[in-house]
Amino acid sequence: SRLADFFVNCMSEPRSLSGCLKENYADCLLSYSGLIGTVMTPNYLRSPKISVSPYCDCTNSGNNKDDCDKFTEFFTENTCLHCQLLPF
């Protein structure tokens, strides 16, 4: 699936030079763009900094809120993905 491809290619690794576990920006960007047009289409959020988040939020997650928060953080706290989207 496109989401599984995104998880594999955009795995964050803060200690790497690029911020990506696989050290490959192109694969992450391609996987990220593959989510566009699906139910997982990411949103750009404007806050003190530009970030990315899934369209959904975790307000109605009930007992699965912790899992939902972890899923959302893969987008919002992902150093690999932020390196792709933020201009230098």
Side-chain angles (χ1 to χ4, degrees), residues 5-6 8-10 18 20 22-34 80-81 83-85:
D5 186 58
F6 174 73
V8 168
N9 289 311
C10 295
S18 68
C20 300
K22 295 178 83 178
E23 295 286 353
N24 193 335
Y25 287 133
D27 284 349
C28 180
L29 189 56
L30 188 61
S31 296
Y32 173 78
S33 64
C80 182
L81 187 57
C83 289
Q84 294 293 324
L85 299 174

Side-chain angles (χ1 to χ4, degrees), residues 39-79:
V39 294
M40 291 307 309
T41 297
N43 285 334
Y44 292 99
L45 304 175
R46 287 250 177 220
S47 54
K49 62 180 182 173
I50 296 172
S51 67
V52 178
S53 178
Y55 184 71
C56 58
D57 64 21
C58 298
T59 55
N60 294 318
S61 298
N63 292 339
N64 296 321
K65 184 158 182 356
D66 290 339
D67 291 334
C68 182
D69 288 337
K70 287 177 189 173
F71 174 78
T72 303
E73 286 173 3
F74 192 84
F75 291 86
T76 59
E77 304 297 323
N78 188 324
T79 56

